[in-house]
Amino acid sequence: MGKRLGFFISDSKWKNYHRWAYNIAKALYMEGYDVVVITPRKSKLYTRLKGYGMKVVGYKKSGIMLVDGYRLLQICKKYKLKNLVINYPDDIRVSALAAKYCPLEKLVFRRGTIPVKTKNKINSHLAKKYISTVITNSMANKEAIQENKSSVFRKKPIEVVYNGIQEKHVARDKEKFDYHQNGELIVGLSKCASNRAFCNGFFEYLKKAVIDKERITFLIFPERRHGSSFSGEVKQLSLANSVKLTGQEAYLSEFMNQIDVYLSPVAENSFNYSLIYAMAQKKPVIGISGGSNPEIIRDQENGFLVESDNFDELLEKIEALKDDKLRESMGENGLKAVKNTFNFRHSARQIQRILFSND
């Protein structure tokens, strides 16, 4: 039997933390680890991993803390779990009970972009006492947690495990539809609704900038939640054919296949996933110098970092990327980074190191 570890998620709805657990648990399983996933039978996480042939244990949540804690405790004892990873804030209390009475050697809480309810005194006490390690998805996030005096995890060991991408999204063949018409450079953007000020400011700047607008086209990926409202703003910018909206794409990776350069308008502490999707398709990336972006973008290697208010510099970088050789070189470097660092296999190995570092 290989080294055993468990994942626990009591929520049955398929959300981002389910996707993370699904991909990491599967990657660890492929590495030869004995993985036990505890989750409701009605959840997609249960059915998908069960179909993959993994060990999945059904968990029925009652909503009563002691009852739910006892159920998890019995599962941990039955499967002799010593290490448990949780990824859902509401699971802190019942997991802490299991950590106390099982006992677990390590209870690891993965905190991505989900805030933890610090006002609940029971949650805070149990988190401080029984969670051994916190995982987050960027150094920027780690520093924000450590600097937040109200954070229950401020003094806990915090490990950075970068998000990964599924291999099926890496270097796929180009889709049939091509937005190029006359050899122009296609610059793609997504998440414009998350930073309207930057996008609107840059597009207003483009109206007055001295550029050959026939040689550069900006293509915007419309997000389902915000796309319609921002689409109206784009149409009012009067940039003729310089700024276009795509149709509703099924996958972000398909959008990245249709562009030459990706420009990210956001600079948040949480991991900037969109950059990875672009790099996986061998696209140079441009991002604002802030948040997690400098951890992903190696300036002048796989793309460029620019200041958020320096549109002159941004346009210079875009113009520079008209050079086919530069785009190819940066695209290759970006793909190498995805294959070496920003993939689920690498993330799983980091989890392995955190859980079994003392073995």
Side-chain angles (χ1 to χ4, degrees), residues 275-305:
L275 292 173
I276 302 305
Y277 274 91
M279 290 160 58
Q281 302 304 320
K282 298 172 66 175
K283 308 300 179 182
V285 290
I286 303 176
I288 299 169
S289 184
S292 67
N293 290 345
E295 300 173 54
I296 303 170
I297 301 174
R298 295 289 180 254
D299 193 38
Q300 301 187 50
E301 288 185 20
N302 59 7
F304 295 113
L305 290 166

Side-chain angles (χ1 to χ4, degrees), residues 73 94-104 107 125-126 129-130:
L73 171 63
V94 294
S95 300
L97 289 175
K100 179 178 180 180
Y101 294 108
C102 190
L104 295 174
L107 177 60
H125 170 74
L126 294 173
K129 189 166 184 179
Y130 293 107

Side-chain angles (χ1 to χ4, degrees), residues 16 19 23 163-172 190-191 221 250-259 261-262 264 271-285 296 331 334-335 337-338 342-344:
N16 285 336
R19 294 186 183 93
N23 286 297
N163 286 348
I165 194 170
Q166 295 181 41
E167 290 187 9
K168 70 178 183 179
H169 294 309
V170 176
R172 297 173 67 189
S190 65
K191 294 188 175 181
F221 180 86
Y251 298 104
L252 191 57
S253 56
E254 293 177 4
F255 171 74
M256 297 304 180
N257 259 331
Q258 296 164 352
I259 65 176
V261 176
Y262 177 67
S264 174
F271 190 82
N272 193 340
Y273 238 131
S274 299
L275 292 173
I276 302 305
Y277 274 91
M279 290 160 58
Q281 302 304 320
K282 298 172 66 175
K283 308 300 179 182
V285 290
I296 303 170
L335 182 58
V338 172
F342 304 117
N343 61 80
F344 287 118

Side-chain angles (χ1 to χ4, degrees), residues 59 64-75 94 97-98:
Y59 179 84
I64 302 172
M65 178 179 166
L66 292 177
V67 173
D68 291 337
Y70 180 77
R71 286 176 179 169
L72 179 61
L73 171 63
Q74 293 305 307
I75 294 172
V94 294
L97 289 175

Side-chain angles (χ1 to χ4, degrees), residues 278-337:
M279 290 160 58
Q281 302 304 320
K282 298 172 66 175
K283 308 300 179 182
V285 290
I286 303 176
I288 299 169
S289 184
S292 67
N293 290 345
E295 300 173 54
I296 303 170
I297 301 174
R298 295 289 180 254
D299 193 38
Q300 301 187 50
E301 288 185 20
N302 59 7
F304 295 113
L305 290 166
V306 298
E307 297 301 321
S308 62
D309 58 350
N310 193 337
F311 295 142
D312 287 334
E313 180 188 16
L314 174 55
L315 185 56
E316 284 177 14
K317 302 305 184 187
I318 293 171
E319 293 276 8
L321 286 168
K322 287 180 179 178
D323 186 288
D324 294 343
K325 289 185 179 179
L326 180 60
R327 288 203 313 277
E328 183 178 354
S329 173
M330 285 188 164
E332 290 288 350
N333 289 337
L335 182 58
K336 286 179 184 177

Side-chain angles (χ1 to χ4, degrees), residues 9 11-22 45:
I9 296 183
D11 190 24
S12 60
K13 295 179 181 178
W14 183 258
K15 297 178 182 177
N16 285 336
Y17 37 82
H18 289 83
R19 294 186 183 93
W20 183 87
Y22 170 78
L45 183 63

Side-chain angles (χ1 to χ4, degrees), residues 190-252:
S190 65
K191 294 188 175 181
C192 280
S194 299
N195 193 347
R196 278 180 162 86
F198 174 86
C199 290
N200 284 333
F202 181 55
F203 293 150
E204 288 291 342
Y205 164 85
L206 287 177
K207 285 184 183 180
K208 304 172 184 177
V210 181
I211 60 171
D212 185 353
K213 294 184 174 63
E214 299 297 320
R215 303 297 294 169
I216 301 176
T217 295
F218 294 88
L219 192 64
I220 300 176
F221 180 86
E223 292 109 318
R224 293 175 183 175
R225 288 181 299 170
H226 307 291
S228 58
S229 60
F230 192 74
S231 298
E233 295 177 36
V234 170
K235 290 174 182 177
Q236 294 175 11
L237 293 173
S238 302
L239 282 166
N241 293 324
S242 296
V243 179
K244 298 178 180 178
L245 288 155
T246 69
Q248 288 290 343
E249 303 292 338
Y251 298 104
L252 191 57

